[in-house]
Amino acid sequence: MSTNNNMPQSYNDRASSTGEADVGVDPASGSFFSADYKRHEDLKAMLDSNKDNLKLEAMKRIIGMVAKGKDASDLFPAVVKNVVSKNIEVKKLVYVYLVRYAEEQQDLALLSISTFQRGLKDPNQLIRASALRVLSSIRVPVITPIMMLAIRESVTDMSPFVRKTAAHAIPKIYSLDPEQKEFCIEIIEKLLSDKTTLVIGSAVMAFEEVCPEKIDLIHKNYRKLCNLLVDVEEWGQLVIINMLTRYARTQFVNPNRYGEHMDNERFYESEHSSQEDQTPVTPEAPKSFTMDSDHRLLLRNTKPLLQSRNSSVVMAVAQLYHHVAPKTEVGAVAKPLVRLLRSHREIQSIVLSNIATMTTTRKEFAHLSSMRHRPTGRGLSMFEPYLKSFFVRPMDPTLIKLIKLDILTNLATEASIGIILREFHTYVASSDREFVAATIQAIGRCASTISECTDTCMNGLVSLMSNRDEAVVAESVVVIKKLLQMAPAKHKDIIVHMAKLVEKITVAMARASILWLIGEYCERVPKIAPDVLRKMAKTFITETDIVKLQVLNLATKLYLTNPKQTHLLCQYVFNLAKYDQNYDIRDRARLLRQLALPNEKSGALAKHAKKIFLASKPAPVLESKFKDQDQFQLGTLSHFINAKSSGYQELPDWPEVAPDPSVRTVEAPMPWTDDQPKAKKPTKKKQSFYSESGESTGDDSSSSESDSDEESSDESGSEDEEESKSEKSVEAAESSAAEVSSSSEEETSASEESASETDSEEEEKPKKPVKKPGKAAVAAVAKQQLLLLDFDDVPAASSAPALLPGNALAPSLLTGAVVNEKTSPLQVTVCVHDVSGSVAMETLIICLYL
């Protein structure tokens, strides 16, 4: 059958022949999924163009792709070519891209290493910092010397942002080449001495990563770190606080070692004096303890950070107070931590886990006033005033509910147990089974810790045994079993009641608990225990393994206490267990048979079977699961997961004797003084500049000139040789300014003539001569009040601009000043030296408020 060649091609055939992708109709049929499809062609074309706006737009799109997690590594060759771009914005984005992909594309990044080195000399501090960041991101050991040289130069950079980037590069070079540790320590020591708050946080971070054991680097910078802590950025505050926590544990003694007797915390001397009279003074228990001033400095400067908006900073200060502060001051962290409970649920879980540990280890808030009002010695817990903040909300996740339950149980006291039990009663009706089980366990903990409410809790748990939910009944049985071990004689009726429920309860753990309880106290219920064993023997084959094991234990204990009634029943149970599928049950039955039913082959242990099985057992202690987490530092990952994570540093123990505190004393640098005496140069009397023009009139002008000459002579006598040389240059500038001043005087001649008439009338009247300020004084005032005038803004017109007291002259530009005392307001001619060395003079009218 022949094919028709004249038939028109389909759309897919045309698309495949032209190489165009047909995404709209059939994506799989087009070349979109072919291997030769070129990605990001438009971006590459924009990066290769000569227009900066296209390059900038392309880089913005690329950085947007990187931020969204998309792979843009295939654009590396096209991007790295633009690192030499003269556009600052393009260059910044190129460096951001290179920091992300320099480690993956090391070979291509090495080709542009010379460009990165030139970027280190760029006038823009952002370019210098970006170049150093890219250079340190290239993980190639060959360029380690280049990185070391770049870091050494960047440490002395004028920009603190560049020095901060250098501190971030130190851990990178240390991880690349650990042999450079001495070099890194040298650089870290320089950065720690930096007084800029932008740098100090990064320097401490580098210290923690490279050499946390070199504690001597912190000694001389300790007080500076404490004082600058408030002004450091939040990330730096977190790093510094964690470092200072470990530093305080190694350099100061435990403030709680001597109890509450602290001489700086006494409020009522009469009360303490009476206590001291009753307590004998021994070397092991001194009367008072004085806290180190540096220890106090740390606590005082970190306390304001409890009001920080950053939850990590607040948590860091809280853990510092928990591990370092005296007991009397730890209560300051309670309110800030409760404030954090209004944050996101992730933050809530972290904060609540730390609060749970603090309430477990610090049961008593050591506030002296609360101790006075409680004669029993039990203080008010620091979180007890905020008890309602830990009530469970319906929208809380299960994890947060469980932690809040633990905190409420830790905070329970004789006064608050009523409110807490009412809360627990509502929690039992929740639909969350895990939360309900934890609530019942919390009720058991309250009953075991507070003896006044034991009966109330026991009655409540017994009432829960009639609940419709099997999970509630099973958990209640388990908790009651633990409570009965504490006082079994008082609760015989409860044991009888639980024996009657053994057939109704189907939860394996609850059935096993009831069987263990009946077997442990079988002598108290001699009539009920054999009947329970008979019922369990009927269903032995269908029971779970944990129940079968407890049936074997019950049979053994009943045979040892009542062999006449239970001998045959015990043998029957052992025979059933002998052929059980579980080898644990078979082995347990074989062991118990040899101990309980002795024969000729039985060993010596059969004689002591009663002592082994019927021995008194200690009552279980119901404790919080957060009690063991105190071994880890608060706020760390290890504390949250209750396991030591990688990179965790153990919190050091307190020293018995505090190290020498003088290592933290830094001597202030003495001011430089010249040992050789300065020789005073003979003063040279200078004449007024305007006296050379022959226009000086009146006694007032002569007296003012003599006064100004005396002032100038006094000043010149006190100046050194360098200042006298500058005076010579001023005199030369004054002589060259004579012509300009004369021209300005001609312009003001009209005003002077009118002023002279009034002066002549005033001279006829007898008056005391008024002393005018001399030219040196006016020039000094001009330099003091007018310090920041930009002479580029002064017009070149002949008219003098008027300067107000808010304007100023730059002291580096003002090299001479000449006063025309006849003009009103005062007229000052200043000589300005620009960069080229030429002299520019302007006559300025200055309004001085003298």
Side-chain angles (χ1 to χ4, degrees):
M1 184 176 180
S2 61
T3 57
N4 189 2
N5 296 329
N6 295 328
M7 292 180 64
Q9 294 180 341
S10 64
Y11 184 78
N12 292 338
D13 296 336
R14 292 197 304 270
S16 61
S17 62
T18 56
E20 297 179 356
D22 184 13
V23 183
V25 180
D26 188 7
S29 62
S31 61
F32 183 80
F33 293 97
S34 61
D36 58 349
Y37 180 74
K38 297 180 179 180
R39 300 173 58 193
H40 308 143
E41 279 299 314
D42 55 341
L43 294 176
K44 294 180 181 178
M46 294 171 69
L47 291 172
D48 293 337
S49 65
N50 297 327
K51 297 182 179 179
D52 290 340
N53 58 345
L54 294 178
K55 293 182 179 180
L56 183 60
E57 181 64 24
M59 288 305 306
K60 288 181 179 179
R61 290 171 56 183
I62 293 172
I63 298 301
M65 292 169 55
V66 175
K68 293 178 181 179
K70 297 181 179 180
D71 185 20
S73 58
D74 57 334
L75 292 170
F76 193 90
V79 173
V80 77
K81 291 187 298 183
N82 292 278
V83 76
V84 296
S85 176
K86 296 182 179 179
N87 190 302
I88 299 298
E89 298 299 326
V90 174
K91 185 176 290 188
K92 290 179 184 177
L93 295 179
V94 169
Y95 276 120
V96 171
Y97 176 88
L98 293 178
V99 170
R100 170 63 180 82
Y101 289 104
E103 187 173 354
E104 299 179 7
Q105 304 284 344
Q106 296 179 358
D107 297 335
L108 294 176
L110 286 175
L111 298 178
S112 304
I113 196 168
S114 59
T115 306
F116 303 149
Q117 289 179 299
R118 287 197 301 270
L120 296 173
K121 305 295 183 182
D122 195 274
N124 192 327
Q125 60 175 352
L126 297 179
I127 300 300
R128 296 198 303 272
S130 300
L132 180 60
R133 189 180 294 112
V134 174
L135 195 61
S136 59
S137 299
I138 304 176
R139 313 290 294 168
V140 180
V142 179
I143 65 170
T144 301
I146 300 176
M147 293 173 58
M148 294 170 58
L149 182 61
I151 293 175
R152 189 181 295 275
E153 293 178 355
S154 300
V155 168
T156 57
D157 195 278
M158 295 294 294
S159 171
F161 184 71
V162 179
R163 300 197 298 271
K164 177 185 179 73
T165 308
H168 290 169
I170 293 175
K172 297 180 182 179
I173 192 174
Y174 175 71
S175 62
L176 187 62
D177 187 5
E179 295 180 358
Q180 305 298 332
K181 185 174 182 179
E182 295 298 330
F183 166 79
C184 295
I185 293 176
E186 178 185 354
I187 300 300
I188 290 173
E189 186 175 4
K190 292 181 181 179
L191 291 173
L192 287 174
S193 61
D194 200 308
K195 297 182 180 179
T196 309
T197 56
L198 188 65
V199 181
I200 197 66
S202 301
V204 175
M205 181 275 301
F207 169 81
E208 290 286 275
E209 292 289 336
V210 177
C211 52
E213 73 282 353
K214 301 285 291 186
I215 202 70
D216 54 334
L217 298 178
I218 305 298
H219 289 324
K220 58 183 179 181
N221 300 304
Y222 171 80
R223 296 173 182 172
K224 180 188 69 176
L225 291 173
C226 293
N227 293 325
L228 295 180
L229 185 59
V230 180
D231 299 325
V232 180
E233 74 277 5
E234 296 170 345
W235 174 81
Q237 290 174 349
L238 187 62
V239 176
I240 295 174
I241 290 174
N242 289 331
M243 185 272 296
L244 292 179
T245 302
R246 289 191 295 275
Y247 180 87
R249 290 291 292 255
T250 59
Q251 301 300 315
F252 308 125
V253 296
N254 187 0
N256 301 315
R257 179 168 56 178
Y258 303 128
E260 304 298 333
H261 298 285
M262 301 177 65
D263 56 353
N264 56 350
E265 295 292 341
R266 294 182 177 180
F267 297 100
Y268 301 98
E269 292 295 334
S270 60
E271 205 166 335
H272 283 279
S273 60
S274 61
Q275 294 178 1
E276 291 176 0
D277 296 338
Q278 298 175 2
T279 305
V281 179
T282 59
E284 291 77 8
K287 293 190 298 182
S288 63
F289 168 75
T290 303
M291 182 181 292
D292 191 282
S293 59
D294 291 328
H295 194 175
R296 174 60 59 190
L297 176 68
L298 174 62
L299 298 177
R300 183 173 62 249
N301 288 0
T302 54
K303 189 174 183 179
L305 295 180
L306 290 172
Q307 310 302 324
S308 175
R309 62 181 181 180
N310 192 307
S311 56
S312 299
V313 176
V314 177
M315 192 65 247
V317 178
Q319 65 87 22
L320 182 140
Y321 268 72
H322 177 74
H323 293 296
V324 174
K327 292 181 179 179
T328 55
E329 302 180 17
V330 180
V333 306
K335 188 175 182 179
L337 289 178
V338 173
R339 174 173 59 87
L340 296 181
L341 298 181
R342 302 183 181 95
S343 305
H344 301 287
R345 57 180 60 182
E346 294 82 7
I347 298 177
Q348 289 184 38
S349 60
I350 301 295
V351 175
L352 286 173
S353 63
N354 287 273
I355 292 178
T357 302
M358 296 175 72
T359 54
T360 303
T361 57
R362 292 184 180 270
K363 284 283 187 180
E364 298 181 2
F365 174 37
H367 200 291
L368 298 180
S369 60
S370 64
M371 295 296 290
R372 296 190 195 95
H373 295 292
R374 292 183 182 240
T376 58
R378 180 178 176 83
L380 180 67
S381 175
M382 62 181 178
F383 290 102
E384 190 171 347
Y386 313 99
L387 183 66
K388 294 184 179 180
S389 300
F390 303 106
F391 286 172
V392 176
R393 296 178 175 85
M395 299 302 296
D396 289 338
T398 304
L399 176 63
I400 294 179
K401 289 180 180 179
L402 299 180
I403 301 176
K404 285 186 175 180
L405 274 178
D406 204 286
I407 295 174
L408 289 174
T409 308
N410 294 336
L411 297 179
T413 59
E414 296 87 347
S416 61
I417 188 61
I419 301 175
I420 294 176
L421 288 179
R422 283 196 295 270
E423 278 291 313
F424 288 168
H425 181 70
T426 58
Y427 297 162
V428 172
S430 176
S431 59
D432 189 349
R433 290 194 173 186
E434 184 180 1
F435 175 57
V436 171
T439 302
I440 296 174
Q441 294 176 6
I443 295 174
R445 284 184 55 199
C446 292
S448 62
T449 54
I450 304 176
S451 58
E452 288 81 357
C453 69
T454 302
D455 295 336
T456 304
C457 295
M458 185 68 72
N459 295 332
L461 291 173
V462 172
S463 64
L464 290 176
M465 294 176 64
S466 59
N467 195 289
R468 295 180 181 179
D469 193 349
E470 293 183 358
V472 176
V473 176
E475 196 65 35
S476 301
V477 169
V478 174
V479 175
I480 290 174
K481 170 241 180 183
K482 295 179 181 179
L483 293 177
L484 288 177
Q485 290 183 252
M486 299 180 183
K490 299 180 181 179
H491 306 287
K492 178 182 177 180
D493 296 338
I494 297 177
I495 299 175
V496 175
H497 181 67
M498 293 178 66
K500 295 178 182 180
L501 295 175
V502 70
E503 295 180 353
K504 299 180 181 180
I505 297 176
T506 58
V507 180
M509 180 60 68
R511 292 171 65 87
S513 299
I514 293 176
L515 293 176
W516 182 93
L517 199 62
I518 296 174
E520 184 69 18
Y521 304 106
C522 59
E523 295 178 353
R524 301 181 185 276
V525 284
K527 297 181 180 180
I528 297 177
D531 189 57
V532 172
L533 179 60
R534 180 183 60 82
K535 294 179 180 180
M536 297 306 300
K538 293 180 180 181
T539 60
F540 183 85
I541 300 175
T542 60
E543 298 290 344
T544 59
D545 294 341
I546 187 172
V547 177
K548 290 179 180 179
L549 293 175
Q550 293 302 325
V551 170
L552 291 175
N553 290 337
L554 175 61
T556 305
K557 293 178 181 178
L558 287 177
Y559 178 79
L560 294 176
T561 57
N562 190 6
K564 293 182 181 181
Q565 293 182 358
T566 59
H567 177 72
L568 296 177
L569 191 58
C570 183
Q571 286 185 344
Y572 175 73
V573 172
F574 286 155
N575 291 331
L576 291 177
K578 182 178 180 181
Y579 301 100
D580 195 86
Q581 295 180 356
N582 192 323
Y583 59 86
D584 288 336
I585 297 175
R586 296 197 302 267
D587 293 343
R588 178 70 63 87
R590 189 177 297 111
L591 172 65
L592 296 179
R593 181 186 291 271
Q594 295 297 325
L595 293 177
L597 303 176
N599 51 27
E600 298 177 355
K601 298 181 180 180
S602 300
L605 289 178
K607 301 178 181 179
H608 308 284
K610 286 189 176 182
K611 295 182 179 179
I612 295 175
F613 289 98
L614 301 179
S616 60
K617 300 174 180 61
V621 180
L622 302 178
E623 295 179 346
S624 172
K625 65 177 182 179
F626 292 94
K627 185 175 183 180
D628 296 336
Q629 295 187 11
D630 190 48
Q631 58 181 328
F632 302 105
Q633 184 177 356
L634 293 185
T636 59
L637 176 63
S638 300
H639 173 268
F640 185 71
I641 64 177
N642 198 19
K644 187 175 182 180
S645 61
S646 60
Y648 174 75
Q649 296 182 9
E650 295 285 348
L651 198 63
D653 296 329
W654 293 100
E656 293 294 333
V657 180
D660 185 14
S662 63
V663 295
R664 293 183 291 273
T665 304
V666 180
E667 297 181 358
M670 298 298 293
W672 181 83
T673 55
D674 192 0
D675 296 337
Q676 297 181 359
K678 298 180 181 179
K680 293 185 179 181
K681 188 176 180 180
T683 59
K684 181 179 179 181
K685 186 176 181 180
K686 296 187 293 182
Q687 296 182 355
S688 176
F689 176 75
Y690 290 98
S691 62
E692 297 178 1
S693 61
E695 294 180 359
S696 60
T697 59
D699 297 335
D700 297 338
S701 61
S702 61
S703 62
S704 62
E705 291 176 2
S706 62
D707 294 338
S708 61
D709 292 338
E710 291 175 2
E711 293 177 2
S712 62
S713 62
D714 295 339
E715 292 176 359
S716 61
S718 62
E719 294 176 349
D720 55 4
E721 296 179 359
E722 294 181 357
E723 293 180 354
S724 63
K725 292 180 181 179
S726 62
E727 288 180 0
K728 292 183 180 180
S729 60
V730 172
E731 292 175 0
E734 289 176 355
S735 62
S736 61
E739 297 178 358
V740 179
S741 61
S742 61
S743 62
S744 61
E745 291 173 3
E746 290 177 0
E747 295 175 359
T748 58
S749 60
S751 60
E752 289 179 0
E753 289 177 359
S754 59
S756 61
E757 294 177 0
T758 58
D759 294 337
S760 60
E761 294 176 358
E762 293 177 357
E763 286 177 358
E764 294 176 359
K765 298 178 182 180
K767 62 179 182 178
K768 296 181 180 179
V770 179
K771 184 177 180 181
K772 295 182 179 180
K775 59 183 181 180
V778 174
V781 175
K783 290 183 180 180
Q784 181 179 1
Q785 294 186 358
L786 311 175
L787 297 176
L788 298 174
L789 178 62
D790 188 357
F791 278 89
D792 295 336
D793 299 334
V794 177
S798 60
S799 61
L803 298 182
L804 297 177
N807 302 329
L809 296 171
S812 60
L813 300 178
L814 182 61
T815 57
V818 181
V819 182
N820 186 2
E821 301 170 356
K822 296 182 180 181
T823 61
S824 179
L826 296 177
Q827 185 173 348
V828 180
T829 301
V830 295
C831 304
V832 182
H833 289 268
D834 59 4
V835 179
S836 61
S838 60
V839 180
M841 287 176 287
E842 289 288 346
T843 302
L844 309 176
I845 298 177
I846 306 175
C847 298
L848 301 177
Y849 294 92
L850 301 176

